[in-house]
Amino acid sequence: MRSDAVKNGFERAPHRALLKALGITDKELKKPFIGVVNSYTDVVPGHAHLNQVAKAVKEGIVSAGGVPFEFNTIGICDGIAMGHNGMRYSLPSRELIADSVETMVQAHRFDGIVMISTCDKITPGMLMAAARLNIPAIMVTGGPMLSGKYKGKKVGTDSMFEAIGKVAAGTLDEKELKCLEDVACPSCGSCNGMFTANTMACVTEALGMSLTGCATPLAVSAERLRIAKETGKQIIKLIEKDLKPRDILKSKAFENAIMVDMALGGSTNTVLHVTAIANEADIDMQLSTFDTLSKRVPHICSMIPSGPYDMQELNEAGGIPAVMKVLKDALNLNQITVTGKTVKENIEHAEILNSEVIRPIDNPVHKEGGIAVLKGNIAPDGAVVKAAGISANMMTHQGPAKTFDSEESAMKAILDKKIQKGDVVIIRYEGPVGGPGMREMLSPTASIAGMGLSESVALITDGRFSGATRGPCIGHVSPEAATGGPIGLLKDGDIIEIDVPNRKMNVKLTDAELAQRAKAWKPREPNVKTGYLARYSKMVEPAHKGSILKKA
């Protein structure tokens, strides 16, 4: 066992003495040591309950014959960080989480790890660490939040951000806003729809890195605690079998995860995260793969924010096993998972309990998957859009550019009603280098939706969008403005052409005109010159490579 390095032999007597200071007995010194990686914090609603989950995990570990050692990682709430400088830290926190898990595990020589997470960057950060360390590892996600109810309708965080636009448009008063605010988020857990946190939980299960049925049970359910306890037991079996993350995280497993994501109409952020996890598993994940797989499977679950169903309803309909059962003819069924069984064995007894929530292949929400990759002279290396969140009449669009060099300036123009029907809002210098940190643009997109413009206004950015975004919002434009990308050359009034079905996005300018503008372009002063973000901006790769850090 790896932990023998800290507990066996006369020369390890000091180490054993320190372990005994923790209450470890001689009998326990002979058992596997398990790191329990808990991202609990009382500032993130999705993580506020994770101490309970960790308690159940540790009970499971002990009952199966292991010794648990709990430690924590940081965790950022994207909703609370949204719309201000704090959002610059969200994506970069993913790398810190991966590094901190690696550091703790390598320093203390754990035999295996159980990773407990819920929210946006924490789940992929932990999976990146698992792939990098390649010791027996399993994840248990913390589960979704209940939906709020307001005037008989389901509401959540997306409702709150869209309410800002409604107040600005005069269709909602501040008294109603306060009533909505009080009921929108009624419990702990990740936000109620198929936003980034829940998408990543579903991706984790589809990858085979969490137990079957783990992704969708509510955070407040007893089922969540039972899954946690079983997860604690399972890590001991993984150690006994020597089943490691890279035995599971094969190319075919990533294809499964992407196809499930496409079927769910999940967050565009998964493109960044799946690419980054694959990189840690030494798999070269191309942006084109997402588009190829999007054409292989249909979008079959109409989930909040672009549809009516929440995570509780998806769970009651059969969860991810049922989704995978529908997709079985497209999936790689022989892939091994942390259950010790194949995907085929895991979903053998799955049932679709509500065919409105999980629709059959021959009656999909959309004929293609939820994410599309666009290319053209604005984004030579690609851009990403949640096609599942776009209405049919905005799948193609042509309009004049309104350019902004920051989220704040765009947001001011939106709330000042300077954006008109037909416009294409360009928000640039918000990429991984230029931001730095590639901020999410939920405030502008939700405000536009709340003002009733999502059927007539498109947004394009070298930043990214929240999983709660809906409408024609195109992000991850690469190369980004800060590195000289064409998005930085656009001017107000340039005519932008968007064609999602044909995967094209262009500005109606000649190559000669773009080349002339490129000669006149000058790099901007960085927004941040000190601290972690300054280092991050010098080390980060482009969005089409997952915004990973350059390898040493």
Side-chain angles (χ1 to χ4, degrees), residues 296-532:
R296 189 183 296 180
V297 296
H299 173 212
I300 60 172
C301 298
S302 187
M303 303 293 295
I304 292 171
S306 53
Y309 301 114
D310 64 12
M311 291 300 294
Q312 182 175 4
E313 288 165 310
L314 178 61
N315 185 60
E316 291 167 351
I320 300 308
V323 172
M324 296 181 81
K325 191 76 170 277
V326 173
L327 302 177
K328 66 182 186 301
D329 290 340
L331 297 177
N332 305 295
L333 298 177
N334 292 324
Q335 293 304 297
I336 196 70
T337 71
V338 291
T339 65
K341 300 176 182 178
T342 63
V343 171
K344 182 179 181 180
E345 291 172 311
N346 287 342
I347 66 173
E348 184 177 1
H349 300 295
E351 293 183 57
I352 296 88
L353 301 175
N354 186 329
S355 60
E356 290 297 316
V357 179
I358 303 173
R359 295 169 76 158
I361 287 285
D362 58 2
N363 183 32
V365 183
H366 297 103
K367 291 181 180 179
E368 293 186 353
I371 292 174
V373 176
L374 311 185
K375 287 194 174 183
N377 61 4
I378 298 174
D381 292 328
V384 179
V385 64
K386 186 197 287 187
I390 307 175
S391 63
N393 66 314
M394 285 298 287
M395 283 291 193
T396 59
H397 180 74
Q398 179 174 300
K402 292 279 182 73
T403 60
F404 303 94
D405 290 347
S406 70
E407 178 188 6
E408 287 82 359
S409 58
M411 189 65 180
K412 185 177 187 304
I414 292 164
L415 295 181
D416 288 346
K417 301 179 183 178
K418 293 181 179 178
I419 304 303
Q420 307 299 319
K421 289 183 178 180
D423 285 346
V424 179
V425 176
I426 308 291
I427 307 176
R428 59 200 180 185
Y429 294 99
E430 290 287 6
V433 173
M438 207 177 181
R439 287 194 287 181
E440 287 184 347
M441 303 290 160
L442 180 57
S443 294
T445 60
S447 295
I448 281 177
M451 295 173 79
L453 295 173
S454 63
E455 295 294 307
S456 60
V457 171
L459 289 93
I460 299 173
T461 182
D462 54 8
R464 59 196 178 91
F465 293 115
S466 164
T469 293
R470 61 186 176 91
C473 302
I474 302 163
H476 308 196
V477 169
S478 188
E480 62 176 287
T483 61
I487 190 174
L489 309 179
L490 301 179
K491 296 179 180 179
D492 286 352
D494 287 344
I495 301 302
I496 309 298
E497 295 179 316
I498 299 166
D499 185 346
V500 176
N502 290 306
R503 307 302 200 249
K504 294 179 181 179
M505 181 175 68
N506 290 289
V507 57
K508 292 185 75 174
L509 294 172
T510 65
D511 291 345
E513 173 64 19
L514 281 171
Q516 187 177 353
R517 292 187 187 185
K519 286 181 181 178
W521 178 84
K522 294 181 181 179
R524 287 161 45 104
E525 282 289 310
N527 290 323
V528 179
K529 297 180 181 179
T530 60
Y532 174 52

Side-chain angles (χ1 to χ4, degrees), residues 11-325:
E11 70 275 19
R12 295 296 184 247
H15 305 67
R16 292 193 294 273
L18 289 167
L19 289 165
K20 287 180 177 179
L22 300 173
I24 300 300
T25 66
D26 285 330
K27 187 176 180 180
E28 287 174 323
L29 286 171
K30 298 175 182 178
K31 297 179 179 181
F33 280 11
I34 310 300
V36 178
V37 190
N38 186 1
S39 56
Y40 162 80
T41 168
D42 58 13
V43 74
V44 182
H47 292 228
H49 65 301
L50 293 188
N51 277 350
Q52 289 179 286
V53 176
K55 182 175 181 288
V57 166
K58 289 188 285 187
E59 288 171 354
I61 291 169
V62 171
S63 70
V67 183
F69 295 88
E70 185 177 348
F71 64 91
N72 289 83
T73 72
I74 61 169
I76 287 175
C77 176
D78 278 21
I80 296 172
M82 195 72 67
H84 53 81
N85 277 336
M87 178 49 71
R88 299 189 196 280
Y89 286 89
S90 177
L91 183 59
S93 75
R94 185 187 71 184
E95 318 308 312
L96 290 176
I97 290 161
D99 289 350
S100 66
V101 174
E102 175 196 357
T103 300
M104 285 294 289
V105 171
Q106 294 289 49
H108 299 100
R109 312 311 294 168
F110 296 124
D111 299 302
I113 50 173
V114 178
M115 303 168 291
I116 307 169
S117 170
T118 300
C119 288
D120 301 37
K121 310 308 166 300
I122 301 92
T123 299
M126 289 187 179
L127 288 172
M128 289 165 68
R132 186 186 304 173
L133 290 162
N134 201 34
I135 65 169
I138 187 170
M139 173 160 274
V140 55
T141 46
M145 183 185 288
L146 287 160
S147 290
K149 293 289 177 67
Y150 183 66
K151 294 185 176 180
K153 295 182 178 179
K154 289 193 286 282
V155 294
T157 49
D158 59 323
S159 311
M160 292 309 308
F161 281 97
E162 291 191 12
I164 295 168
K166 292 179 181 179
V167 172
T171 58
L172 187 76
D173 63 36
E174 293 199 31
K175 182 179 178 182
E176 290 177 298
L177 181 68
K178 172 65 165 60
C179 293
L180 183 60
E181 172 187 322
D182 289 342
V183 300
C185 301
S187 74
C188 62
S190 49
C191 299
N192 66 329
M194 193 55 67
F195 311 136
T196 307
N198 288 321
T199 306
M200 282 309 304
C202 297
V203 163
T204 300
E205 184 177 335
L207 270 173
M209 285 299 294
S210 62
L211 292 181
T212 306
C214 178
T216 56
L218 290 167
V220 296
S221 66
E223 185 179 5
R224 175 61 50 194
L225 298 180
R226 293 196 297 271
I227 290 168
K229 193 173 291 186
E230 291 300 322
T231 300
K233 293 178 181 178
Q234 188 63 22
I235 188 62
I236 304 303
K237 294 180 182 177
L238 294 178
I239 292 169
E240 291 169 351
K241 293 181 178 181
D242 196 30
L243 185 58
K244 299 172 183 175
R246 292 197 192 187
D247 299 324
I248 296 165
L249 297 175
K250 303 292 189 181
S251 294
K252 297 296 185 183
F254 283 101
E255 289 182 4
N256 286 346
I258 293 169
M259 286 189 280
V260 168
D261 183 12
M262 296 300 172
L264 294 169
S267 167
T268 53
N269 284 315
T270 54
V271 175
L272 296 171
H273 299 324
V274 169
T275 302
I277 298 161
N279 175 70
E280 293 289 354
D282 286 335
I283 293 169
D284 183 19
M285 180 65 66
Q286 298 294 313
L287 186 59
S288 58
T289 302
F290 293 86
D291 207 51
T292 299
L293 295 175
S294 182
K295 295 173 182 177
R296 189 183 296 180
V297 296
H299 173 212
I300 60 172
C301 298
S302 187
M303 303 293 295
I304 292 171
S306 53
Y309 301 114
D310 64 12
M311 291 300 294
Q312 182 175 4
E313 288 165 310
L314 178 61
N315 185 60
E316 291 167 351
I320 300 308
V323 172
M324 296 181 81
K325 191 76 170 277

